[in-house]
Amino acid sequence: MTLSTSLRDRVAGPVIAPGETGYEDARRVYNFMIDRHPAAIVRCTSARDVQAVVAHARDSGRDLAVRGGGHSVPGFGTADDAIVADLSPMTRIQVDPQRRTAQAGGGATWGMMNEATAAYGLATTGGIISTTGVGGLTLGGGIGYLARAHGLSCDNLLSAEVVLADGQPVTASETEHPDLFWALRGGGGNFGVVTQFEFRVHPVGEIYGGPMLFELADAGSILRHFREFIADAPRQYGGFPAWQIAPPLPFVPQDRVGEPFLALVSCWTGDHDEGARVLRGFRDIAQPVAEHVGPMPYPALNSAFDALVPRGLQHYWKAVFVGELTDEAIAAHLEHGPRVPVVNSTMHLYPINGACHDVPADATAFGHRDADYACVIAGMWPDPADNEANTQWVRDYYAALAPHSQAGGYTNFASADDQQRVRDNFGTGYPRLAEIKQRYDPGNLFHLNQNITPTAR
């Protein structure tokens, strides 16, 4: 009996094996720098399918890759000769507007989640790109536009349905398996396969915001103003500075397309007139070259940059947490940021103060509550011939920021060569995470991730 035949006898969803129709597309993940050939991809349609795949991988000794949205930069959603539990069919979303909660299947994306909750004037903290998976983002913490107002994605998680390494399904919450629930909120995919998430959602109607592009000569002034502004900014503000080569869009002057700029992407969830007043503060520092700012539905902003980062690019990222955005750190940004190689690549400097700091440092596994910023240098480009040069841009930028940053970076932004930074990336809760890993996955079945080594108490 072949591997694929054995799996087909145990699951309801389709099993795609090498040589079969659809395999070449199914084996690929978001980052096309990853070129792996798994033994089988199982499109799981239910928690029961996930149980069967987990049991099959455990009993056969094969690697198990778990794929939700597939956006993992290191390509953890696939591996050579592995069994892939592809959760993409599991996208059901249910919103309870009275309780202000929403449930999302393990394969749902933030675009799906935002559209479902927006129908009721609600939202919770998601990411910046709508095609990102709900699961991967949440398990790593969950930084997004609404984080200063409502906390990280994991701070809004109320419960999770999880298939453990022994194949058993459990519910994790504050009252059921609370140690597992603690670990899921920032500990990544180390502890099981989450087949359903339940979130707290918040009133979020039309937001006021969008991108503003500033001349490189004004970038230092804007970054210094942002540093002062964001320290005690109203929590309705959830924007961030970024480097961006101007794309060919209607609001960009044609003669400036293709040039690098400092972008300020703003999301204001309060009164629109007040939001306009807040953004005028940046225009008082420097006049934008181009902008596309105004009222829009929150899902529109969350998907605004999707076209710049389609599936199929080459990806190499680095990340740091930042306490204070010093003049020296700003100088490093001014040196390396304008060298952004292509329109797809960028640097984002996300503020994670406000509501993120309301949560005690030991309340969840997200181990960097003292950081004020999470910075990502996101190298993304279409041509593999540029891999060496563009990867070097990311590495040089990261090396320049590291002396002015905290130990560790956001695990959701880590690359495959960051395994040696795992302890620093998970931060203060790592010893407790290792103990919980030993309790729930002592054999380290779930090791295709930013891996936590099981450690006996």
Side-chain angles (χ1 to χ4, degrees), residues 12 21-22 55 76 100 145 190 194 222 237 240 315 329 334 430 432:
T21 301
F76 290 139
R100 288 186 180 171
Y145 289 112
N190 276 280
V194 180
I222 293 295
Y237 184 85
F240 58 90
H315 289 252
L334 295 175
Y430 185 86
R432 183 178 174 187

Side-chain angles (χ1 to χ4, degrees), residues 21 60 75 90 108 143-144 151 230 235 266 277 310 317 326 338 356 364 394 437 451:
T21 301
S60 67
M90 301 174 63
I143 294 169
I230 205 66
R235 293 189 177 189
S266 294
R277 186 195 66 77
W317 298 18
T326 64
C356 300
T364 71
V394 176
K437 175 74 169 180
N451 194 236

Side-chain angles (χ1 to χ4, degrees), residues 30 51 102 106 185 251 272 287 302 409 419:
Y30 187 68
Q51 288 179 265
R185 290 174 292 164
F251 70 91
H272 289 183
Q287 189 62 32
N302 189 241
Q419 287 291 337

